[in-house]
């Protein structure tokens, strides 16, 4: 069971995406957790680099910082669900999952987001009951194909993070980063990797852009 619940490519119900290969070298940056006090700095950096990204935030984070969630939407980024409470999504009741999903969807809508709400489970865990419910409400689970901080460790330098992404990127890659906690490091990495990948012909877009165009 441990191996099944950790698998990023397989689940029993509902659609699960780890990347969306395409002929246009489009890729997506995704940022998990929050919103936190770092939201403004992240939005400023994306604005400066003229990039749209996808934020998977927690309902509890929106409750705590509703203006930050609204600012993400107003800047034109995707706002996705990362559950309400960021607990491990295994061995819980149907009602627990339903509340985690529904409550967060309501908060995402209250933030002004009108697009499809994608779901990213905390810790990448899913198993039976959560995918069953996501399928019932027709929500797609979006995982990732590149996770530099997980592989390199939390003290990786901006150069190391950027180089890891550059070395592993391919068309349709979905890149996971955590600037809500480690803003300085991750934003410095974006300064390196975004121009570099654009030079190589990659275009950054949101998960919904990738999904709408290529799925
Ligand atoms: Zn998380």
């Amino acid at each position: 069971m441990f191996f099944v619940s950790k698998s990023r490519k397989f689940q029993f119900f509902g659609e699960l995406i780890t990347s969306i290969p395409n002929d246009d070298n489009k890729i997506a940056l995704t940022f998990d957790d929050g919103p936190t006090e770092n939201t403004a700095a992240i939005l400023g950096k994306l604005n400066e680099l003229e990039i749209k990204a996808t934020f998977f935030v927690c309902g509890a984070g929106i409750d705590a910082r509703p203006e930050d969630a609204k600012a993400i939407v107003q800047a034109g980024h995707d706002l996705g669900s990362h559950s309400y409470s960021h607990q491990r999504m295994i061995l819980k009741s149907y009602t627990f999952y339903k509340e985690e999903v529904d409550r967060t969807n309501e908060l995402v809508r209250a933030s002004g987001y009108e697009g499809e709400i994608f779901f990213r489970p905390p810790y990448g865990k899913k198993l039976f009951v959560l995918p069953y419910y996501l399928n019932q409400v027709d929500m797609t689970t979006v995982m990732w194909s590149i996770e530099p901080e997980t592989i390199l460790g939390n003290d990786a330098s901006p150069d190391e993070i950027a180089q890891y992404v550059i070395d592993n990127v391919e068309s349709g890659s979905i890149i996971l980063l955590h600037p809500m906690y480690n803003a300085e490091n991750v934003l410095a990495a974006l300064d390196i990797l975004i121009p570099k990948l654009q030079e190589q012909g990659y275009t950054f877009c949101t998960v919904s852009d990738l999904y709408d165009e290529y799925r």
Side-chain angles (χ1 to χ4, degrees):
M1 291 303 284
F2 177 71
F3 293 103
V4 172
S5 77
K6 259 188 69 176
S7 166
R8 283 194 276 109
K9 294 232 165 99
F10 176 78
Q11 70 179 10
F12 292 97
F13 306 97
E15 189 178 15
L16 182 143
I17 283 167
T18 53
S19 70
I20 303 181
N22 60 80
D23 293 332
D24 301 317
N25 284 334
K26 289 192 183 168
I27 56 179
L29 284 173
T30 64
F31 303 138
D32 278 12
D33 305 331
T36 66
E37 68 280 0
N38 292 327
T39 307
I42 298 164
L43 293 177
K45 178 58 68 184
L46 294 173
N47 185 45
E48 180 191 322
L49 293 165
E50 297 180 22
I51 293 297
K52 299 294 182 217
T54 299
F55 291 76
F56 289 99
V57 299
C58 289
I62 302 179
D63 263 340
R65 307 183 67 90
E67 296 310 317
D68 283 344
K70 285 180 190 153
I72 292 169
V73 175
Q74 276 159 17
H77 306 291
D78 272 17
L79 195 62
S81 168
H82 195 38
S83 82
Y84 184 83
S85 62
H86 206 278
Q87 296 182 52
R88 290 183 189 277
M89 296 285 131
I90 53 170
L91 306 178
K92 301 276 200 302
S93 70
Y94 177 87
T95 312
F96 173 84
Y97 294 118
K98 181 175 171 12
E99 278 176 17
E100 287 276 324
V101 171
D102 292 355
R103 203 170 162 194
T104 305
N105 284 355
E106 282 165 27
L107 288 160
V108 168
R109 290 296 178 223
S111 308
Y113 187 67
E114 292 175 349
E116 177 167 351
I117 304 172
F118 295 102
F119 185 83
R120 174 169 285 167
Y123 311 102
K125 299 275 184 194
K126 36 213 183 309
L127 267 178
F128 300 106
V129 181
L130 174 60
Y132 176 77
Y133 184 65
L134 292 170
N135 191 43
Q136 275 197 326
V137 292
D138 202 21
M139 286 181 77
T140 298
T141 302
V142 174
M143 305 298 276
W144 56 85
S145 55
I146 300 183
E147 46 181 332
E149 296 148 302
T150 322
I151 304 289
L152 302 170
N154 285 330
D155 46 5
S157 70
D159 280 305
E160 288 169 328
I161 293 172
Q163 197 55 50
Y164 182 84
V165 175
I166 291 161
D167 289 344
N168 290 280
V169 77
E170 54 191 1
S171 179
S173 289
I174 297 176
I175 301 153
L176 165 62
L177 291 165
H178 291 86
M180 288 290 179
Y181 303 125
N182 196 358
E184 212 177 313
N185 225 33
V186 174
L187 297 185
L190 293 184
D191 266 331
I192 303 166
L193 74 90
I194 289 174
K196 192 97 186 186
L197 290 179
Q198 286 173 329
E199 246 174 64
Q200 293 179 10
Y202 289 100
T203 305
F204 290 86
C205 64
T206 63
V207 168
S208 62
D209 287 340
L210 275 183
Y211 190 86
D212 291 347
E213 206 166 341
Y214 304 107
R215 294 289 291 193

